[in-house]
Amino acid sequence: MNNIHLYHLLCYTEYTILGVTRDEGARMELKPDNGEGIDSWKEVTLIYNAALRQIQTRMEILNEEFQHVHRYNPIEHIKSRIKTPESIVKKLKRNGYESTIENMVKYINDIAGIRVICSFTSDIYRIVAMIAEQRDIKVIAVKDYITFPKASGYKSYHMIVTVPVYLSDRTVDAKVEIQIRTVAMDFWASLEHKIHYKFEGDAPEHIKSELVECAKMVSDLDARMLSLNEEILAISRKMNKD
């Protein structure tokens, strides 16, 4: 598992592909539809919803197991969502692809998205390692915005994984994007997202600069809280020995 800690060193521009192509092990075989794409869309939605439930359940079980073994919960809470058809179409057009079910499944990696919120930065890599150890979850790509933040100040750890969805007549590997971040990072990202859409992606420069400064404050807060937690743990261990 030491290899998982090497992934982030390579992840500062695009998704780093971990030994497979973007589509390898991630194709979804759909049944023929009624000619209008309706049946295929319903099936895609069913599969991605099932994949989300599987990942969320895995995260909850790992969190409970961690509490049982270490008396500590690395996960504060979990959010999940399915991308809207409008957002999918916009992303396909932005990337130069025709709006089809096939292109949606092939080229859009974040149709199913789950966000894992942690207390401390160290928890992020702990959860990354736990996900990578799941035998039937394949990590196909990562972006480490913790080590390499975006110019805006955005920080988070992104993973694209595939998880098997077991249907009545076949097994489908569905892609899910997992975002892992601290409570402080999530607070900043939520506000930055609202501001981004308020100005339609073109906020005044002084607001962008202020957001970057706020991101630095969030980073400093995360570092100080982690240091404080480690000090508390060290004191607790010493008290237990005495």
Side-chain angles (χ1 to χ4, degrees):
M1 273 318 305
N2 289 336
N3 289 339
I4 195 68
H5 299 295
L6 299 178
Y7 294 163
H8 71 277
L9 298 176
L10 305 173
C11 309
Y12 57 92
T13 51
E14 298 182 353
Y15 272 107
T16 296
I17 309 301
L18 306 181
V20 296
T21 66
R22 288 183 186 271
D23 303 318
E24 183 180 341
R27 294 192 180 93
M28 290 187 6
E29 181 185 345
L30 302 177
K31 292 180 178 178
D33 62 24
N34 63 2
E36 298 178 355
I38 295 173
D39 289 347
S40 288
W41 171 248
K42 287 182 178 179
E43 186 176 356
V44 166
T45 304
L46 180 151
I47 290 169
Y48 280 118
N49 272 309
L52 270 186
R53 288 197 297 272
Q54 284 209 61
I55 295 293
Q56 181 155 347
T57 299
R58 301 289 184 89
M59 295 295 96
E60 290 169 352
I61 291 171
L62 288 171
N63 201 37
E64 290 174 7
E65 189 251 354
F66 208 87
Q67 170 66 32
H68 173 71
V69 175
H70 302 287
R71 302 293 188 269
Y72 170 68
N73 293 104
I75 298 174
E76 289 287 337
H77 57 274
I78 301 170
K79 304 174 185 177
S80 62
R81 66 100 183 98
I82 295 291
K83 209 173 188 67
T84 64
E86 293 78 11
S87 295
I88 293 170
V89 169
K90 284 181 181 178
K91 193 164 188 177
L92 283 172
K93 288 183 177 178
R94 190 165 61 245
N95 292 323
Y97 298 114
E98 185 182 352
S99 299
T100 65
I101 297 290
E102 182 181 359
N103 284 345
M104 178 185 80
V105 170
K106 185 175 182 180
Y107 297 114
I108 307 297
N109 290 323
D110 61 344
I111 294 174
I114 191 162
R115 188 172 298 153
V116 181
I117 312 301
C118 315
S119 299
F120 306 104
T121 308
S122 58
D123 292 331
I124 294 173
Y125 294 102
R126 187 173 287 124
I127 292 167
V128 169
M130 289 193 294
I131 292 171
E133 286 180 343
Q134 299 288 298
R135 290 186 179 180
D136 57 350
I137 294 180
K138 180 181 290 184
V139 181
I140 60 173
V142 299
K143 279 183 180 177
D144 186 352
Y145 292 123
I146 310 296
T147 304
F148 303 100
K150 289 186 178 181
S152 64
Y154 175 84
K155 282 190 171 187
S156 186
Y157 195 104
H158 295 192
M159 308 174 76
I160 301 295
V161 306
T162 61
V163 61
V165 175
Y166 300 98
L167 302 176
S168 60
D169 58 347
R170 67 198 189 285
T171 301
V172 176
D173 288 326
K175 288 183 286 188
V176 178
E177 181 188 60
I178 305 174
Q179 297 180 359
I180 312 168
R181 60 180 68 154
T182 65
V183 175
M185 291 173 193
D186 190 55
F187 170 73
W188 183 93
S190 296
L191 293 182
E192 192 270 346
H193 182 75
K194 291 178 182 178
I195 292 170
H196 177 83
Y197 277 92
K198 184 76 173 178
F199 291 99
E200 297 182 347
D202 190 25
E205 287 303 318
H206 73 278
I207 291 180
K208 292 180 182 179
S209 297
E210 189 68 20
L211 281 170
V212 172
E213 289 302 312
C214 288
K216 292 177 182 177
M217 293 169 65
V218 165
S219 183
D220 182 57
L221 176 62
D222 270 333
R224 293 177 67 177
M225 293 302 290
L226 177 59
S227 178
L228 182 60
N229 183 62
E230 290 174 344
E231 184 177 349
I232 292 169
L233 291 175
I235 292 171
S236 297
R237 285 194 291 266
K238 185 176 179 181
M239 289 175 65
N240 290 333
K241 287 182 180 179
D242 293 343

